[in-house]
Amino acid sequence: MTNLSVNINKVATLRNARGENVPDVVKFAVDCEKYGADGITVHPRPDQRHITYEDVRKLRKVVTTEFNIEGFPSKEFIDLVVEVKPTQVTLVPDLPGALTSSEGWDTVVNKDVLKRICDLLRSEGIRSSIFVDPRGEMIAGASNVGADRVELYTKPYADMFSQDREFAIAPYIEAATLAREAGLGLNAGHDLNLDNLGYFAEMIPWLDEVSIGHALISDALYYGIEETIRRYKSELR
């Protein structure tokens, strides 16, 4: 079954709105694991508008499932992940100030920097994943720089799903097949939700992991976090 990694950035956003420690991000992560999450994802940004570097250090001490840290590979970010050694680092091309991830890496143009970082992560015992659009040349580029996995950027799929799900999934099946042939592990994320997740996982059954935050945390406002995790994992079955 595809693993579910819960992105808890939005929990930190809510906490930061009051400048105190409610909700407690660390306790929330532990509870997500207790309720069945297969991993915890965070994306610390330079402006610390949600997850902070100190949150990352605290979470490393308590997360017992897979710990995935996303981010742009600035010097500060790389220093942090080498320090805390998560299970996986997902490299995203977001520059400082970006609202959210809106495209994948050009793994051809950025091959030198990505190779250097993937080599470093491997030397530290950290799995590398590169956030990419579902395009063959980007998959090949990720393989060429030595990445362990790719994470497919799924917003275009989510945007098209209600209109024509077969058309929406087609480039992702092709990209996922190329990734498998190249020996790459396969993750996916961005705008996946209870409506479109099941079909995505059904059509790409070798999908290793999905990382979901905004939709999952929003659903938890209605269902509660335990029931929400149960529903998402049910879609992945």
Side-chain angles (χ1 to χ4, degrees), residues 26 30 37 43 45 70 79 86 94 101 125 147 181 193 220 222 237:
V26 174
V30 171
H43 186 152
R45 294 180 181 274
E70 302 176 341
D79 287 347
D94 295 353
S101 303
E181 291 172 350
N193 57 39
Y222 291 92
R237 294 190 185 97

Side-chain angles (χ1 to χ4, degrees), residues 2 6 8 15 24 28 44 53 59 79 82 91 95 98 128 153 155 165-166 177-178 197-198 210 228:
T2 302
V6 176
I8 61 173
R15 175 202 62 188
D24 186 324
F28 192 89
Y53 279 27
L59 287 163
D79 287 347
V82 167
L91 302 171
L95 294 173
S128 60
Y153 172 52
K155 179 174 173 55
R165 67 180 190 173
E166 292 182 3
T177 301
L178 291 171
L197 177 61
V210 292
T228 298

Side-chain angles (χ1 to χ4, degrees), residues 127-173:
R127 183 201 306 142
S128 60
S129 178
I130 299 180
F131 194 64
V132 295
D133 297 320
R135 295 166 49 199
E137 62 270 32
M138 299 301 109
I139 303 294
S143 177
N144 290 337
V145 301
D148 298 305
R149 292 187 182 184
V150 289
E151 178 173 333
L152 299 179
Y153 172 52
T154 49
K155 179 174 173 55
Y157 163 78
D159 289 344
M160 182 59 65
F161 178 79
S162 63
Q163 302 170 50
D164 187 338
R165 67 180 190 173
E166 292 182 3
F167 179 82
I169 196 66
Y172 290 88
I173 295 175

Side-chain angles (χ1 to χ4, degrees), residues 55-75:
D55 288 330
V56 172
R57 294 183 175 99
K58 291 178 180 178
L59 287 163
R60 174 69 286 184
K61 296 176 182 178
V62 300
V63 170
T64 59
T65 58
E66 178 174 300
F67 191 30
N68 173 45
I69 304 179
E70 302 176 341
F72 180 79
S74 65
K75 181 182 183 305

